[in-house]
Amino acid sequence: AAEAAAPKAVEAPGEERLSGDVGADGPLQVIARGPPCVTRKRPEPIGELLALQQYDTRRSTGGLGDRVKPGAYRAAVAQQRRIAARGQTLPGSAGEWRPAGRGPLIADDKRFTEVNRLGLADLAGRISDFALGGGERVYAAVGEGGVWQSDDAGQTWRSIGDTLPTQAIGSLDFTPANGGTVIVSTGDSVFGGGGTFAGLGVFRTSDGGATWQRSAGVPDNVISFKVRVDPTNPSIVYAATGAGLFRSTDAGATFENVALPTGNGVPASEPTCTGAPATKEGCYLANMVTDVVVQAPGGKPAAKGGRVLATVGWRAADRRTRSRAFPNGFDESPNNGFYASDTGAPGSFTKLPASGIGRPGSKIGRVELGAATGPDQDHNVVYAIIEDAARFNGEPPGIDAPGAVPGVVTVLDGLYASKDFGRTWSRLADASELQSPTSGSALVGTFQAFGFAPGIQSWYNMWIAPDPTRQDASGIPTRLLFGLEEVWQNDTENPRGVQDDTATFRVVGRYFGGDVCLALFNPAGSTCPTDRERREPGGLTTHPDQHAGIFLPRPNGGVRAIVGHDGGVNVQDRTKDQASLSNNAWGRGANQGFDTLLPYDAQIAKDGTIYSGLQDNGEMKIEPDGRQFMVFGGDGAFSAVDPDNSDVAYEAFIFNDMEKTTDGGKTFRDVAEPSDSGYQFINPFTMNPQSAKHLITAGNAVHETNDGGASFKTVFDLGTRKAPGTGASPSGADDTINRISAIDVRSAGSDPAGPESAAYVAYCGFCDALLPNARPVQTGIATNVSSDGKVGKKLAPDNWHIAKADGLPDRYLTSVQVDPADPKTVYVTVAGYARRWLPVGVLGEDADLRPGSVFKSTDAGETFSDISGNLPGIPANWTTVRNGQLVVATN
């Protein structure tokens, strides 16, 4: 599925294409009958998310020119500041940057018919964590969008993290120490989906974000998952990161690795990863600490508090790298599981046996925890939601063979409760129980056959939290909320304490609102058959893909539930007498003040209208007055707009499924892009800036249109690469297709509407160190411009060829740009080839470690020279030539 075979259609009576799901034979397009079927917005099965990670992999991390270069990003920040401090002002660089759009992304404007029935309203970008700051104050960490504060219980937000050297934030917490301190761990908390950047360690502020100090002891260049303050001692803080669990005893000023016992070096050939740095070969994935909770004091019965429970939860567990053709041959994470300490001191943790966890054959993958903390609750109670790494890896009954267990199409293991703070566990529900038709989930029923079921994304997004205000007579919480693709709660029909498998669960924040659902033949105007609350058409709900949740106790015994997802924040209040949350009470979204949308691309017309593809928030249109609207749903990608007529624009869904509007986004129609086995999950296409009907794209071949997408012509095949030294069979089983990574086109000659156009396509063969059968990157440049200056014609195969590209390093090429003054001059930016959060070389993979991030050719790509100069040694992502001046964007 990750290789993205050509789409195949499943025909049914009716006209509307419903989805582009990835099945065993590639992307699956479903044709469905009549309204109110939904276009595009649906969960992303494992194949799609792996394909998305494969895309992110290729635009990845540093440092460049040195195998695992610690401190590369800190050095880059320092270098940028040194350049800025010199006061060198270049033409056009004066002035201040400001947001192009204002207010939340509006997803229910009636003009835009593709999106206004999804149940979404006011949106922002992906949340990763929340923390309470006392009173009405709430803090939010945004995965790729900084640190935000609300002083009105999560209704409106303002940034307090603008001066941090990175906006990739995994988690945060608040301690009353030093008059009140916010502590944040940097580096995103998802395993690659949507663009995951590594971080720069832990930072803290005691003046509301006016100044930030970097904490000592937590390494750079890893992702992070949780920061948690010890409720018995405000000076003790824990940071769960991709490099282990770290502890501070001075309110976050310094941290020490507690050395979870994750590897013992038996046999001797295996690495010892206990307390090892992430840079140690064989240990980079072994210390992925996905959560940590600290027992609160008091409660019923009274607890001393301070006990610590942490989880190591790499998504693939102990998958053996040699069996997956990785070079170093070690287990990826040999000791996923639960670790506990009574004190939290370094060296005091033991691995727990995880009694009661899992079905036969399951493996603990990613884990999220939720501890009981209410003053009348039993603080020995803790809950866990667990991904099944065996299913993730395709082991029976695996995701690669969903028929092995009929109806179970997920990577979720289940929900568990412990009454002894993690020593033993009882099962609350497994994956199959959440697929009951009575659950109210939009993901059960017909579409299970196509790879959608609750927990299909649990390796990527999930959380669990008990309500601290509700408990039974013995102190067991009676309200448990958790997030998968939707928001779930224990059923009101079973109000006893949530502690064993007598509990049942229901959805209280559905995937769709109103009359929309994932049923193939849902009658127009009716509610979904699985919708237990029978809402009115046009009802609102939470955005899908839940990442964080927290409860804020309210006066008179009530509580506010605050949830964070790919669309920002929603809140819901419940009084003391309301036992259940409701699908119908989430409102429009609590996203006023955020500037956190995540664009893949943005293009602007002369009148100031902007179109932009967003991560899981569709295609955005920013109107000249600054209002911003979703005009197409699902995942956005690349965009184009006619410079002279902003009503004419193009957008793409995953795998280059292109659409065109001629009325400013009110309606869209399909563009006739050719089938191609090499399209990326987020696939580039571009418009000739001098000829708006001329667009070019590529997958494994290069395709052009000169009639605004009515028809395309394939002009060049990018070919295949053979895995070196693998003894490839004559059948070519070890070959891989070359596929696009970047593209540019520009008219050549005196007449912009003339027949010649200069085009360049950057491509990649083997690119990903973390996926099966990884090989050296093997990049290249294809073009229709000759070194003698001859330029090919539009829509013609003449003059297309593979350039020699001598001097370019064999790493992922993130952009290619033609110089407007000379079609033989081209600029290329270069990244690494591991994931953004995975440094080059840490898995022992074969990598081209020559330095440089920006390269220039003056002979149409035959030879390149490194022009990186004093740029820092981290990846570059884009260039543009403006008035003869080269502008470069880096990580």
Side-chain angles (χ1 to χ4, degrees):
E3 289 299 319
K8 71 174 188 178
V10 176
E11 299 293 340
E15 300 297 326
E16 186 173 2
R17 184 170 63 211
L18 187 62
S19 64
D21 316 323
V22 176
D25 297 319
L28 187 68
Q29 294 183 345
V30 180
I31 310 299
R33 182 196 304 274
C37 290
V38 177
T39 56
R40 308 267 176 103
K41 185 61 210 146
R42 74 288 185 282
E44 294 165 311
I46 188 72
E48 280 187 17
L49 288 170
L50 288 177
L52 174 57
Q53 291 193 349
Q54 196 171 23
Y55 164 80
D56 287 329
T57 289
R58 299 161 181 167
R59 304 184 65 86
S60 63
T61 189
L64 305 181
D66 186 2
R67 183 180 297 273
V68 190
K69 188 176 182 181
Y73 279 92
R74 263 186 294 165
V77 171
Q79 176 78 340
Q80 186 271 342
R81 289 173 175 169
R82 284 195 297 270
I83 293 173
R86 295 186 189 125
Q88 297 172 336
T89 301
L90 297 175
S93 66
E96 295 183 359
W97 289 92
R98 66 183 187 278
R102 56 179 173 81
L105 179 71
I106 300 171
D108 62 346
D109 189 286
K110 298 303 180 185
R111 293 175 295 168
F112 307 119
T113 57
E114 291 284 348
V115 299
N116 58 30
R117 297 174 65 198
L118 295 179
L120 306 178
D122 295 344
L123 303 177
R126 172 167 51 83
I127 300 293
S128 59
D129 197 15
F130 294 114
L132 302 181
E136 298 281 281
R137 182 162 293 173
V138 183
Y139 298 97
V142 180
E144 301 293 345
V147 182
W148 297 76
Q149 178 177 311
S150 171
D151 295 316
D152 55 8
Q155 291 291 138
T156 61
W157 302 88
R158 61 184 178 89
S159 174
I160 63 169
D162 284 353
T163 59
L164 284 167
T166 175
Q167 296 295 293
I169 310 296
S171 181
L172 78 177
D173 206 356
F174 173 82
T175 173
N178 301 321
T181 301
V182 179
I183 303 172
V184 306
S185 58
T186 64
D188 204 347
S189 60
V190 292
F191 289 128
T196 303
F197 284 90
L200 289 166
V202 172
F203 293 79
R204 69 197 190 283
T205 180
S206 297
D207 54 16
T211 59
W212 291 87
Q213 295 79 44
R214 187 180 187 276
S215 306
V218 178
D220 295 353
N221 219 12
V222 296
I223 54 180
S224 68
F225 300 95
K226 288 292 188 299
V227 173
R228 290 296 177 258
V229 175
D230 186 335
T232 70
N233 185 338
S235 293
I236 297 179
V237 185
Y238 296 88
T241 78
L245 179 65
F246 294 81
R247 180 178 188 250
S248 171
T249 58
D250 52 13
T254 61
F255 282 84
E256 182 179 0
N257 193 333
V258 305
L260 297 180
T262 56
N264 57 9
V266 178
S269 59
E270 298 293 298
T272 299
C273 294
T274 296
T279 52
K280 182 175 181 178
E281 186 177 11
C283 294
Y284 193 83
L285 304 173
N287 289 295
M288 289 283 174
V289 184
T290 57
D291 211 344
V292 60
V293 290
V294 187
Q295 186 185 47
K300 182 182 178 179
K304 179 181 178 181
R307 297 168 70 185
V308 183
L309 180 66
T311 61
V312 174
W314 168 237
R315 64 182 193 184
D318 60 353
R319 183 172 62 182
R320 188 73 176 177
T321 55
R322 183 172 293 128
S323 69
R324 305 284 287 187
F326 296 152
N328 63 21
F330 302 131
D331 285 350
E332 292 183 15
S333 183
N335 275 299
N336 273 14
F338 297 86
Y339 295 80
S341 168
D342 288 337
T343 65
S348 67
F349 283 81
T350 59
K351 186 180 181 184
L352 302 178
S355 173
I357 296 290
R359 59 176 175 79
S362 69
K363 295 180 180 179
I364 294 175
R366 182 167 189 155
V367 182
E368 299 286 330
L369 300 172
T373 60
D376 296 321
Q377 292 181 344
D378 183 346
H379 294 171
N380 291 302
V381 173
V382 64
Y383 297 92
I385 185 167
I386 302 176
E387 171 236 341
D388 186 342
R391 285 189 172 128
F392 178 89
N393 294 333
E395 300 171 17
I399 55 172
D400 292 342
V405 175
V408 179
V409 191
T410 182
V411 297
L412 181 68
D413 179 334
L415 304 163
Y416 296 87
S418 172
K419 297 180 68 175
D420 52 14
F421 212 69
R423 272 62 179 176
T424 60
W425 296 88
S426 61
R427 189 186 71 178
L428 300 177
D430 63 18
S432 61
E433 291 172 58
L434 299 186
Q435 298 181 49
S436 167
T438 63
S439 70
S441 172
L443 306 186
V444 301
T446 306
F447 263 70
Q448 287 175 279
F450 299 108
F452 303 149
I456 187 64
Q457 296 179 191
S458 58
W459 62 275
Y460 168 70
N461 61 274
M462 62 181 182
W463 59 269
I464 191 166
D467 184 340
T469 69
R470 300 180 69 87
Q471 56 280 321
D472 67 9
S474 64
I476 305 296
T478 57
R479 178 185 285 152
L480 180 67
L481 220 60
F482 63 92
L484 292 166
E485 299 77 22
E486 302 165 293
V487 183
W488 293 72
Q489 184 198 305
N490 58 299
D491 211 331
T492 55
E493 282 75 8
N494 186 7
R496 60 171 291 188
V498 185
Q499 58 182 315
D500 56 34
D501 62 4
T502 63
T504 58
F505 296 89
R506 61 177 300 194
V507 168
V508 294
R510 290 183 78 254
Y511 205 90
F512 296 110
D515 56 345
V516 177
C517 69
L518 282 178
L520 271 176
F521 303 116
N522 193 43
S526 68
T527 56
C528 293
T530 58
D531 186 355
R532 289 174 38 161
E533 295 184 54
R534 297 290 187 249
R535 290 164 298 161
E536 294 297 320
L540 299 175
T541 187
T542 58
H543 193 289
D545 302 347
Q546 309 300 318
H547 293 272
I550 200 168
F551 286 99
L552 175 62
R554 308 295 281 163
N556 302 316
V559 72
R560 172 166 289 181
I562 306 173
V563 299
H565 38 65
D566 278 359
V569 178
N570 284 86
V571 303
Q572 180 175 159
D573 288 328
R574 296 285 94 177
T575 66
K576 181 179 180 180
D577 298 326
Q578 290 175 304
S580 177
L581 277 72
S582 170
N583 278 292
N584 301 326
W586 292 106
R588 294 187 58 84
N591 291 309
Q592 296 292 332
F594 279 128
D595 286 312
T596 55
L597 295 167
L598 298 176
Y600 288 113
D601 183 40
Q603 301 295 334
I604 187 168
K606 292 177 183 177
D607 67 2
T609 301
I610 295 173
Y611 289 88
S612 178
L614 303 175
Q615 188 263 316
D616 212 18
N617 279 310
E619 182 72 11
M620 173 172 62
K621 178 185 181 183
I622 303 178
E623 297 184 338
D625 64 3
R627 293 184 303 164
Q628 42 197 11
F629 301 93
M630 182 194 290
V631 296
F632 210 101
D635 271 291
F638 282 74
S639 304
V641 59
D642 186 333
D644 298 310
N645 181 2
S646 62
D647 282 345
V648 178
Y650 303 81
E651 71 92 39
F653 182 53
I654 59 173
F655 299 114
N656 210 36
D657 187 357
M658 296 171 63
E659 302 273 336
K660 178 182 181 179
T661 180
T662 58
D663 54 15
K666 295 176 183 176
T667 61
F668 282 83
R669 65 171 177 81
D670 281 340
V671 170
E673 80 283 350
S675 295
D676 191 313
S677 58
Y679 288 138
Q680 298 263 27
F681 188 92
I682 301 298
N683 199 82
F685 74 88
T686 191
M687 175 186 287
N688 185 333
Q690 299 150 292
S691 180
K693 291 185 177 181
H694 182 211
L695 290 87
I696 186 169
T697 188
N700 180 228
V702 184
H703 316 289
E704 284 186 271
T705 178
N706 203 31
D707 54 15
S711 62
F712 275 80
K713 185 171 182 179
T714 300
V715 296
F716 188 67
D717 188 335
L718 296 177
T720 62
R721 292 290 178 94
K722 190 176 295 295
T726 60
S729 67
S731 66
D734 289 332
D735 290 358
T736 188
I737 61 172
N738 291 323
R739 61 185 69 209
I740 185 178
S741 67
I743 195 166
D744 195 24
V745 66
R746 180 174 289 274
S747 294
S750 58
D751 182 7
E756 293 86 11
S757 66
Y760 289 83
V761 177
Y763 62 84
C764 181
F766 303 93
C767 302
D768 191 346
L770 203 55
L771 289 183
N773 302 312
R775 298 290 180 253
V777 180
Q778 297 187 340
T779 55
I781 299 286
T783 182
N784 68 346
V785 182
S786 302
S787 59
D788 60 5
K790 181 181 178 182
V791 178
K793 292 181 172 59
K794 299 173 184 175
L795 308 184
D798 304 339
N799 218 45
W800 274 97
H801 63 283
I802 302 294
K804 291 181 181 179
D806 288 344
L808 267 185
D810 228 3
R811 297 194 304 272
Y812 191 72
L813 308 181
T814 50
S815 76
V816 56
Q817 309 289 347
V818 185
D819 191 316
D822 178 11
K824 299 197 310 321
T825 298
V826 61
Y827 301 90
V828 172
T829 53
V830 180
Y833 87 80
R835 301 174 193 274
R836 292 182 191 264
W837 52 271
L838 188 71
V840 173
V842 292
L843 300 179
E845 71 274 18
D846 187 6
D848 187 336
L849 299 173
R850 287 176 291 171
S853 57
V854 185
F855 292 80
K856 179 181 181 180
S857 173
T858 57
D859 55 8
E862 293 298 296
T863 61
F864 281 88
S865 58
D866 181 359
I867 62 168
S868 305
N870 62 341
L871 288 177
I874 61 172
N877 295 297
W878 204 261
T879 64
T880 189
V881 179
R882 179 178 180 273
N883 298 329
Q885 175 179 306
L886 184 67
V887 182
V888 180
T890 76
N891 278 7

